[in-house]
């Protein structure tokens, strides 16, 4: 097993404290069924509690300072001047339908120890409070890093608004580079190096803990600018923006040859310099993006399964592709993409011995393990047990912002949770999802996180049987919400314009009721599953009720006791047949 694979898993996938191992999928409006832009995000960490963040819009007097608090640790990193007005933010989406997600890729280790004040989480949430669209957000992020430095590992950002979708990748510059006299080496400066690219309309993209931007158009082209020309980012023709020193810094650090004839600027690849691909990066990270692409265009993506498996690292798939059928990509489709476990591929997690007799697509950590001196792996799929929260951000350009932006929010494992619509115009967070209602070590019977995790953890015990009941509830509620929202469209168009107070109240009421009803349903689902599958038996039902004996003291009818699958019996016999053979 290659050392780089182990480092990737240890540094990215297995981290439980300071680094999330996350997944982002992106859909431009020309690639979706109804013209929505989509961004999905799973915030995966074994110590992250799922709750819905909310920051109201606010006005501040001149001279106000704001604290910069590291998202992962809660550590105060410093203070920066506050702006005069900030926008309201629901989760990772603001009142202008701007949504931002991220995945951490780490990158070159010596660049992690930066001199900066702004961590990646602060970049996201400050940008959401200060920017109206994706281009403004890129400008805010770039200016913050330039002014105050960057304090985290390498990151990929997804930045999506109702009209455009961008990928921005960045990494810090490490410790100051000093010469023999203790002076800063020429060419080193504070901040980060980065590249941002607009995803062409009609295409989809994604990233999952591996940098994905390779070569990119340089400033001499008509569609690119450098960070020294940031004011030009608002020109519609600009499709690529990058820090002025992204290539020169790589040369300075020995990450790209200094000989410009041997290695011209035009051939510079961001990810090859700052986050080189390895077996672990492909199998544990890129494979998730490949799975999404493969669902959307199997004919094109089948050829790249060898890369996703880490078998052929030179066969890298594109940064973005066109879906084969845009008419199938809608909100519910994107929810399903977040529930993937590589089903139907050579990495299908329901197929091997690790899935047990009930085809459970989960493997407990660690992901890499040793047997007889050899290293082996468990797959890392999009849907995973350690998700704190996930979302599908839907941006709809033809509707008023408050109603047009839907932040479909869920907590715990995306495969067994339910996405509940939180409109970006609400200003009251449902109690079930509110910050402070429980924690990873404090159970709360009213919290959505503990409600959903009760179900998911029970479902893992008999997965192929129980997940069917969960899927029925998901289809019922998520499909129902989509229909309800469609029926509201005409009324909300009028109210958002002519009676914004009533519009906001209706949106608050809808999202709060949705949260309450879904959590109640999942509590009932837990009780149903507990009763039906108690002790490994399966109770019989008719017309939605468990069957009872017709006796003076009725009990349940004798339950079914389904056998293990034959392939499972074979493995038991192969392991210890002589010891258990009937005589």
């Amino acid at each position: 097993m290659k050392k780089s694979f182990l480092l990737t898993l240890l540094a990215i996938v297995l981290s439980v404290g300071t680094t999330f191992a996350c997944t982002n999928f992106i859909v431009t409006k020309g690639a979706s069924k109804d013209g929505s832009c989509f961004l999905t995000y799973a915030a995966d960490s074994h110590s992250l509690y799922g709750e819905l963040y909310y920051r109201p819009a606010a006005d501040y007097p001149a001279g106000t300072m704001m604290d910069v608090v590291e998202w992962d640790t809660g550590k105060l990193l410093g203070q920066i001047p506050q702006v005069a007005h900030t926008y309201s933010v629901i989760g990772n989406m603001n009142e202008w339908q701007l949504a931002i997600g991220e995945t951490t890729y780490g990158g070159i280790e010596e660049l992690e120890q930066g001199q900066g004040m702004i961590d990646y989480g602060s970049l996201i949430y400050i940008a959401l409070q200060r920017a109206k669209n994706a281009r403004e957000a890129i400008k805010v992020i770039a200016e913050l890093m330039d002014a105050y430095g960057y304090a985290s590992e390498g990151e990929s950002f997804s930045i999506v608004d109702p009209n455009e979708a961008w990928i921005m990748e960045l990494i810090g510059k490490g410790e100051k580079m000093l010469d023999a006299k203790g002076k800063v080496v020429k060419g080193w400066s504070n901040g980060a190096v980065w590249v941002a690219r607009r995803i062409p309309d009609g295409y989809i993209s994604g990233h999952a803990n591996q940098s994905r931007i390779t070569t990119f158009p340089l400033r001499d082209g008509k569609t690119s600018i450098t960070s020294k020309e940031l004011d030009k980012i608002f020109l519609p023709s600009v499709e690529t923006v990058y820090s002025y020193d992204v290539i020169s810094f790589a040369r300075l650090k020995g990450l790209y040859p200094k000989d410009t004839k041997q290695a011209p600027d035009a051939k510079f690849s961001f990810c090859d310099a700052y986050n080189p691909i390895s077996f672990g990066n492909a199998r544990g990270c890129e494979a998730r993006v490949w799975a999404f692409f493969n669902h959307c265009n199997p004919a094109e993506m089948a050829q790249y399964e060898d890369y996703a498996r880490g078998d052929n690292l030179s066969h890298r798939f594109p940064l973005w592709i066109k879906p084969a059928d845009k008419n199938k990509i809608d909100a519910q489709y994107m929810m399903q993409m977040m529930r993937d476990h590589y089903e139907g591929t050579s990495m299908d997690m329901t197929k091997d011995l690790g899935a047990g007799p009930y085809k459970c697509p989960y493997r407990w950590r660690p992901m890499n393990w040793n047997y007889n001196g050899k290293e082996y792996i468990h797959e890392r799929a999009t849907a995973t047990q350690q998700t704190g929260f996930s979302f599908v951000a839907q941006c709809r350009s033809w509707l008023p912002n408050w109603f047009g932006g839907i932040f479909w929010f869920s907590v715990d494992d995306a495969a067994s949770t339910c996405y509940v619509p939180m409109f970006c115009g609400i200003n009251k967070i449902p109690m079930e999802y509110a910050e402070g209602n429980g924690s990873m070590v404090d159970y709360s019977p009213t919290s959505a996180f503990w409600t959903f995790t009760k179900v998911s953890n029970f479902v893992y015990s008999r997965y192929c049987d129980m997940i069917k009941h969960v899927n029925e509830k998901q289809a019922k509620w998520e499909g129902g919400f989509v229909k309800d929202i469609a029926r509201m469209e005409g009324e909300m168009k009028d109210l958002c314009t002519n009676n914004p107070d009533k519009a906001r109240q209706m949106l608050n009421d809808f999202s709060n009721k949705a949260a309450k009803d879904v959590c109640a349903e999942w509590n009932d689902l837990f009780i149903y599953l507990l009763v039906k599958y108690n002790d490994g038996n399966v109770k019989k039902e008719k017309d939605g009720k468990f069957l009872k004996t017709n006796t003076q003291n009725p009990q349940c009818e004798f339950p079914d006791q389904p056998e293990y699958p034959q392939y499972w019996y074979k493995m038991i016999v192969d392991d210890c047949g002589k010891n258990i053979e009937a005589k």
Side-chain angles (χ1 to χ4, degrees):
M1 184 61 62
K2 297 182 180 180
K3 181 179 179 182
S4 58
F5 170 73
L6 299 181
L7 292 175
T8 298
L9 291 183
L10 290 173
I12 297 178
V13 182
L14 299 182
S15 173
V16 297
T18 59
T19 300
F20 298 158
C22 309
T23 306
N24 283 191
F25 300 145
I26 310 166
V27 176
T28 59
K29 63 180 184 178
S32 71
K33 183 177 182 178
D34 67 355
S36 295
C37 286
F38 289 103
L39 164 61
T40 72
Y41 176 47
D44 301 333
S45 166
H46 295 270
S47 61
L48 177 66
Y49 185 68
E51 52 194 355
L52 183 59
Y53 311 138
Y54 172 57
R55 300 295 177 266
D59 296 304
Y60 298 91
T64 301
M65 302 296 287
M66 70 165 288
D67 291 341
V68 177
V69 178
E70 189 170 33
W71 185 32
D72 290 345
T73 66
K75 176 183 176 183
L76 178 64
L77 299 179
Q79 289 189 320
I80 64 173
Q82 182 59 279
V83 294
H85 179 76
T86 59
Y87 307 125
S88 66
V89 180
I90 302 292
N92 286 53
M93 189 181 217
N94 74 10
E95 63 185 274
W96 297 97
Q97 303 192 59
L98 170 67
I100 304 178
E102 60 76 35
T103 71
T104 301
Y105 63 78
I108 301 299
E109 188 174 359
E110 66 180 281
L111 301 183
E112 294 177 13
Q113 303 302 318
Q115 304 291 313
M117 184 200 303
I118 312 290
D119 69 295
Y120 76 101
S122 296
L123 287 177
I124 292 173
Y125 295 110
I126 294 174
L128 286 169
Q129 289 180 308
R130 299 183 178 189
K132 291 183 177 181
N133 55 51
R135 292 174 187 254
E136 282 190 17
I138 293 168
K139 188 172 186 290
V140 168
I141 290 170
E143 290 176 341
L144 285 171
M145 292 190 297
D146 186 54
Y148 305 106
Y150 179 61
S152 301
E153 301 173 65
E155 288 284 335
S156 299
F157 287 164
S158 301
I159 308 175
V160 178
D161 64 32
N163 295 297
E164 294 187 339
W166 291 70
I167 289 182
M168 183 179 190
E169 297 196 325
L170 54 96
I171 192 168
K173 296 181 177 179
E175 299 287 351
K176 287 182 180 179
M177 295 180 67
L178 305 176
D179 61 20
K181 296 181 179 180
K183 295 183 177 181
V184 176
V185 171
K186 184 179 180 181
W188 190 94
S189 61
N190 198 18
V193 288
W194 54 273
V195 179
R197 301 205 65 189
R198 187 181 72 84
I199 301 166
D201 192 36
Y203 287 74
I204 63 172
S205 190
H207 49 88
N209 307 122
Q210 164 63 38
S211 170
R212 302 207 61 241
I213 295 178
T214 55
T215 56
F216 51 91
L218 301 179
R219 71 176 301 277
D220 290 337
K222 295 181 179 180
T223 61
S224 301
I225 59 171
T226 75
S227 55
K228 291 185 176 181
E229 307 165 297
L230 268 178
D231 287 340
K232 294 182 180 179
I233 194 173
F234 302 107
L235 296 174
S237 61
V238 171
E239 297 180 343
T240 301
V241 192
Y242 56 95
S243 59
Y244 72 93
D245 58 348
V246 64
I247 301 174
S248 61
F249 180 75
R251 295 188 195 276
L252 185 68
K253 296 294 292 185
L255 302 174
Y256 194 60
K258 293 184 178 180
D259 186 340
T260 56
K261 290 184 178 180
Q262 174 192 349
D265 287 357
K267 291 187 177 181
F268 176 79
S269 164
F270 184 89
C271 68
D272 289 325
Y274 296 113
N275 186 212
I277 193 66
S278 65
F279 172 81
N281 296 66
R283 187 68 169 258
C285 305
E286 290 275 75
R288 283 173 270 157
V289 181
W290 173 82
F292 169 52
F293 282 15
N294 189 52
H295 279 293
C296 295
N297 195 332
E300 179 177 345
M301 294 306 298
Q303 63 176 309
Y304 296 107
E305 188 166 355
D306 59 348
Y307 171 76
R309 290 181 51 83
D311 297 334
N312 184 359
L313 299 183
S314 65
H315 198 202
R316 179 178 282 157
F317 58 86
L319 178 59
W320 47 61
I321 67 164
K322 270 193 171 184
D325 180 8
K326 71 175 186 178
N327 290 318
K328 68 181 181 182
I329 298 181
D330 57 16
Q332 287 181 272
Y333 184 83
M334 296 307 294
M335 295 169 195
Q336 289 304 114
M337 294 301 96
M338 299 303 289
R339 293 168 173 151
D340 183 75
H341 307 101
Y342 301 122
E343 287 89 349
T345 76
S346 63
M347 296 174 282
D348 191 332
M349 297 180 73
T350 68
K351 298 295 185 182
D352 64 37
L353 178 62
Y358 301 115
K359 301 180 180 180
C360 182
Y362 294 91
R363 307 293 183 269
W364 309 144
R365 301 311 192 242
M367 284 183 60
N368 63 295
W369 41 281
N370 183 286
Y371 177 72
N372 272 352
K374 290 186 178 181
E375 295 288 341
Y376 297 89
I377 65 168
H378 292 313
E379 306 294 354
R380 190 342 187 157
T382 299
T384 181
Q385 68 271 21
Q386 78 267 18
T387 299
F389 66 82
S390 68
F391 66 74
V392 175
Q394 183 176 8
C395 311
R396 303 182 293 172
S397 62
W398 64 95
L399 292 168
N401 287 317
W402 282 5
F403 176 66
I406 308 176
F407 192 71
W408 297 92
F409 188 67
S410 76
V411 290
D412 196 48
D413 179 359
S416 51
T417 189
C418 183
Y419 285 96
V420 179
M422 301 291 162
F423 295 100
C424 72
I426 67 174
N427 60 2
K428 293 181 180 179
I429 302 302
M431 173 270 295
E432 294 82 0
Y433 294 93
E435 292 179 79
N437 186 1
S439 75
M440 286 298 280
V441 292
D442 298 296
Y443 176 80
S444 170
T446 61
S447 87
F449 181 86
W450 285 111
T451 297
F452 282 101
T453 204
K454 281 190 304 188
V455 172
S456 64
N457 276 266
F458 191 47
V459 167
Y460 298 152
S461 66
R462 200 180 184 110
Y463 194 83
C464 64
D465 292 333
M466 293 194 202
I467 194 63
K468 297 173 185 176
H469 304 290
V470 175
N471 294 155
E472 289 173 0
K473 299 296 185 184
Q474 290 168 334
K476 167 190 169 182
W477 284 98
E478 292 164 353
F481 289 141
V482 168
K483 292 178 181 177
D484 289 342
I485 291 169
R487 286 193 289 266
M488 295 167 63
E489 190 165 313
E491 182 180 10
M492 293 309 302
K493 278 183 179 180
D494 177 66
L495 284 178
C496 286
T497 301
N498 299 316
N499 194 340
D501 289 340
K502 185 176 180 180
R504 174 161 269 169
Q505 185 59 53
M506 286 185 63
L507 297 176
N508 279 327
D509 291 345
F510 187 98
S511 290
N512 276 265
K513 186 177 187 302
K516 181 179 180 180
D517 290 348
V518 165
C519 286
E521 181 97 346
W522 249 252
N523 272 315
D524 289 344
L525 177 60
F526 175 73
I527 294 170
Y528 168 81
L529 295 174
L530 183 64
V531 173
K532 184 175 180 65
Y533 294 98
N534 186 45
D535 293 337
N537 298 315
V538 182
K539 292 185 176 68
K540 299 182 179 72
E541 293 180 72
K542 184 177 181 181
D543 300 328
K545 294 183 178 180
F546 294 116
L547 296 179
K548 297 181 180 180
T549 57
N550 187 21
T551 60
Q552 185 174 359
N553 296 306
Q555 302 293 322
C556 74
E557 279 198 8
F558 194 81
D560 291 332
Q561 296 176 323
E563 294 186 344
Y564 288 122
Q566 283 296 304
Y567 74 86
W568 193 256
Y569 282 131
K570 179 181 184 302
M571 287 186 285
I572 294 175
V573 171
D574 290 345
D575 181 52
C576 58
K578 290 184 178 180
N579 189 50
I580 59 174
E581 185 176 350
K583 304 298 184 183

